[in-house]
Amino acid sequence: MLKITSNTGPFSVTAWRGDAKTLLAFDLKTPEARQRLAGFSIHVQPPVGNGYYLWNDLAFENPASHAQVPGEPPYSTANAPIHKFRWLHVPGLDHQGLNPPYGDYAYTVTPRYFSADGKMLPIVQTLAATVTVAVAPYSSGKLSLGFTRGFVQSQAFARHFGPHLPTRPQGAPLNFDTSQVAGKDSKGNDYTYAQQYDWLGYTARTRVFGILDAVVADPALSLDMFAYDLNEPDVVGRLLTLAGQGRARIILDNADLHHDRTPPAPPKSPKPEDQFETLFAAAGAAARIKRCHFGRYSHDKVFIVYRDGAPIRVLTGSTNFSVTGIYVNANHVLVIDDETVAAKYAAVFNAAWAGPASGVSFANDPLAAQPFGFGGAPDLPGMKIAFSPHQPAVAKQVLGGIVARCQQEAAAPAHDGSVFFAVMELDGGATNPVYGALTALHQNPSLFSYGISDDPSGISYYPVGSATGVLVTGKPVNTRLPPPFNQVPNIGLGHQIHHKFVVCGFDGPDPVVWCGSSNLALLGEQVNGDNLLEIHDAGIATVFVIEALALIDHFNFLDHTANGPTAKVKHVAGTPPPAAPAVKRDAAKAAGWFLGTTDAWVAKFFDPNDLHSRDRVMFA
């Protein structure tokens, strides 16, 4: 079920199911119901344990002047209702610890009101509406999704693990023991690398290791793998186990960033991928690994699972099998349990395995000549999959389909079009048709566009009274957040947004998602080994839209607080670390940031010329 709506009089709550998260959207149907609106209180009842109210980032300046729920802090939405018409809930951020249970979550949302003299009135239970949603990693039939958490630059990460990026022990082997202590949390408690990795990798990590563990446990299964970056220690460990049993073949990128043409002189270490090749060969599998880079990169990130030699399952997506790919970048994976799809990926692997170690000969293979159609049955959505590198004409045709659909959405009547996206980069719009189209979208006031990229050519956010769309950057560097927000890790020159997905027509009759490993760049489609999926399915589209919303809303704030787009200051080992993170809500109070005590915040959500209003209509 895509969404669930509950109504109480003029008030409605709509819940959209995401990947182990829930988007809640609210509406008030009459002007009278919006008068003196103080916000929304949100109570959550998880499948196990006590219920709780979600917490706001702000509180009233004088909480005692307003009705307060005993036992709840001033910043609880019971006492400080939110001033938005949608809210994303991810279990485990403020409540339930690091490993909250999956299952049915009941959300009870209550509109709150001010008295004539600006005092918030007590909760009126009869005004509340409740929706119950299954919160779990997203699966539908033969297709399952997984997402990395993508919020290493967040207060939640800093609270759990401190203001430093996930890393590995200095001098440790490639497949080091991740159960060892990695650091201390804000309360001084030890945490391990595995705990940090599990929190950051989220459902994408679950999907990756679900496949690897299943193959390791069943002697009838074997694995073929395309890898670009490869250094995640537990992935490496499982692959070495399979190597010793002759149950894995790997095509591993050997472009210069992953391969030393001349072995480095000590004390410099070989690149991780070269280290892996040595370990894989030492396990007796030298003939089962191939290094290549097509025209430029072997850029796929793919598992193909076989049972007794027959392909049965595929994992693909944007997620590299590396510490950065799973634990720092915002990424996605897809698992497709379909023999026909798996057979096509197996054919691509075998063609690359049999071909030359480099060069672009694959572009001449019939496998690269056109997208292949699959699905359409109830248990597998209709989809097309294209395998590159392509000949130039094919590359233009494949990317042209994305551009054409974006243009179709922009031309939709009655402002019904929508485009959401999260892509690693948008440089080179003049020579890359998709980048150019996405960059221009947010300038079109007739289109609802919401997008994020590491390097957009411009950063804009809709002001009050504007209907133009949103484009924000996901790569603020040297970020030191002012009160009331914590300091967060500096990602330096790496990527935070590594996704490559575009969603068109989310709430229309034919929602479509483009995703996978392709950077959606014209040159990349001609020289990289990649796969690009086009999926027509409302549920899959919804999950990707929710991912875009989470990233855009989060990084929009960081964009406004980063020290500057060219700042590159990093913490130097051996020097005192940055100041400890501030307590977010205490710092807000000290900074004088408080909730307003009028309903002035409501107007933009009902102004038809403002994107806030279109946002409310679309989701609520």
Side-chain angles (χ1 to χ4, degrees):
M1 184 175 294
L2 297 182
K3 64 178 180 178
I4 302 169
T5 298
S6 176
N7 297 275
T8 299
F11 177 56
S12 70
V13 176
T14 298
W16 298 84
R17 182 188 173 195
D19 180 62
K21 56 181 72 78
T22 305
L23 179 66
L24 300 168
F26 325 124
D27 203 6
L28 289 160
K29 306 295 185 182
T30 65
E32 293 77 16
R34 304 192 287 268
Q35 291 180 0
R36 298 178 183 170
L37 184 66
F40 302 97
S41 297
I42 307 173
H43 184 271
V44 180
Q45 178 58 58
V48 177
N50 296 326
Y52 54 85
Y53 283 96
L54 297 185
W55 289 352
N56 201 341
D57 297 333
L58 303 176
F60 288 114
E61 184 173 7
N62 298 300
S65 299
H66 306 274
Q68 299 285 284
V69 173
E72 288 291 319
Y75 45 80
S76 165
T77 61
N79 298 326
I82 64 167
H83 285 185
K84 295 183 178 181
F85 276 77
R86 60 172 165 82
W87 196 261
L88 182 65
H89 175 239
V90 183
L93 291 186
D94 287 314
H95 306 81
Q96 299 180 267
L98 290 176
N99 296 291
Y102 296 131
D104 287 345
Y105 280 69
Y107 298 93
T108 299
V109 185
T110 310
R112 303 295 299 278
Y113 291 92
F114 291 119
S115 64
D117 59 351
K119 310 298 184 183
M120 187 175 71
L121 300 171
I123 290 178
V124 179
Q125 300 292 350
T126 56
L127 299 179
T130 299
V131 288
T132 300
V133 184
V135 178
Y138 187 87
S139 294
S140 179
K142 295 181 177 181
L143 197 152
S144 301
L145 297 177
F147 292 82
T148 65
R149 196 173 287 272
F151 287 103
V152 70
Q153 286 196 307
S154 71
Q155 185 201 10
F157 174 83
R159 182 174 62 250
H160 289 311
F161 305 110
H164 305 297
L165 284 176
T167 183
R168 53 197 311 124
Q170 187 172 3
L174 198 61
N175 56 333
F176 73 90
D177 180 5
T178 58
S179 68
Q180 62 184 285
V181 173
K184 293 182 181 294
D185 63 19
S186 58
K187 296 180 180 179
N189 300 316
D190 290 341
Y191 63 84
T192 66
Y193 288 96
Q195 288 175 309
Q196 186 186 57
Y197 289 172
D198 186 59
W199 191 87
L200 288 166
Y202 207 43
T203 58
R205 187 179 193 274
T206 299
R207 299 296 186 195
V208 168
F209 283 101
I211 285 186
L212 289 175
D213 289 341
V215 175
V216 168
D218 188 342
L221 300 181
S222 60
L223 183 78
D224 282 345
M225 175 182 183
F226 281 107
Y228 180 63
D229 292 341
L230 180 57
N231 61 41
E232 203 288 338
D234 291 320
V235 170
V236 168
R238 286 159 173 78
L239 292 175
L240 294 179
T241 296
L242 294 175
Q245 301 169 3
R247 292 198 289 134
R249 293 188 302 172
I250 299 176
I251 294 177
L252 179 58
D253 185 68
N254 69 345
D256 289 346
L257 73 167
H258 295 136
H259 175 61
D260 293 308
R261 297 178 185 274
T262 302
K268 186 177 181 181
S269 299
K271 289 184 168 62
E273 290 73 21
D274 288 345
Q275 295 179 45
F276 176 81
E277 182 180 13
T278 300
L279 292 170
F280 200 77
R288 302 183 69 82
I289 185 169
K290 176 177 179 175
R291 304 297 300 275
C292 75
H293 56 267
F294 293 88
R296 182 173 63 179
Y297 299 136
S298 180
H299 196 246
D300 282 305
K301 310 95 168 52
V302 171
F303 293 155
I304 308 161
V305 180
Y306 300 77
R307 179 174 293 280
D308 298 323
I312 60 171
R313 179 178 299 123
V314 167
L315 178 145
T316 186
S318 66
T319 307
N320 284 311
F321 307 116
S322 64
V323 170
T324 298
I326 306 178
Y327 309 131
V328 178
N329 301 151
N331 270 320
H332 64 274
V333 299
L334 306 94
V335 178
I336 306 173
D337 286 292
D338 182 85
E339 295 176 359
T340 304
V341 173
K344 189 63 67 175
Y345 274 88
V348 171
F349 184 92
N350 287 325
W353 185 266
S358 62
V360 293
S361 63
F362 184 83
N364 297 316
D365 194 292
L367 291 166
Q370 62 179 348
F372 295 90
F374 302 95
D379 58 353
L380 184 67
M383 65 178 70
K384 295 179 182 179
I385 307 176
F387 302 97
S388 63
H390 302 296
Q391 291 290 352
V394 178
K396 290 180 181 179
Q397 175 189 357
V398 170
L399 296 184
I402 304 176
V403 174
R405 183 57 189 270
C406 289
Q407 293 172 341
Q408 177 183 330
E409 293 299 315
H415 301 276
D416 288 337
S418 67
V419 179
F420 297 80
F421 63 89
V423 298
M424 189 176 72
E425 59 181 329
L426 288 177
D427 287 341
T431 56
N432 287 303
V434 173
Y435 293 178
L438 294 179
T439 300
L441 285 176
H442 71 287
Q443 301 170 2
N444 183 347
S446 68
L447 173 72
F448 189 101
S449 62
Y450 223 60
I452 186 168
S453 170
D454 258 14
D455 296 298
S457 58
I459 303 170
S460 67
Y461 196 71
Y462 55 90
V464 174
S466 171
T468 53
V470 182
L471 173 64
V472 300
T473 179
K475 194 179 180 181
V477 296
N478 193 36
T479 304
R480 184 179 294 271
L481 304 183
F485 297 90
N486 281 2
Q487 294 177 32
V488 295
N490 173 21
I491 63 170
L493 300 180
H495 287 288
Q496 176 69 88
I497 304 301
H498 193 260
H499 282 301
K500 308 93 168 46
F501 73 77
V502 180
V503 184
C504 291
F506 148 71
D507 58 342
D510 181 27
V512 58
V513 180
W514 282 270
C515 59
S517 68
S518 169
N519 284 328
L520 307 179
L522 190 57
L523 178 61
E525 284 294 290
Q526 298 174 59
V527 297
N528 292 342
D530 266 319
N531 64 120
L532 175 61
L533 295 87
E534 175 186 332
I535 305 172
H536 294 258
D537 182 84
I540 302 298
T542 298
V543 173
F544 276 95
V545 164
I546 291 174
E547 173 74 357
L549 292 175
L551 292 170
I552 294 164
D553 290 347
H554 174 69
F555 283 103
N556 177 64
F557 175 80
L558 290 184
D559 289 339
H560 287 80
T561 55
N563 288 344
T566 61
K568 300 180 178 67
V569 179
K570 298 181 182 180
H571 174 229
V572 178
T575 64
V583 178
K584 186 175 183 180
R585 297 167 182 100
D586 289 349
K589 182 177 179 180
W593 290 13
F594 302 105
L595 288 176
T597 56
T598 74
D599 61 7
W601 65 276
V602 178
K604 62 180 176 288
F605 291 98
F606 292 88
D607 178 353
N609 294 316
D610 194 303
L611 195 63
H612 290 84
S613 178
R614 294 173 62 191
D615 187 304
R616 174 187 56 81
V617 171
M618 177 175 292
F619 294 107

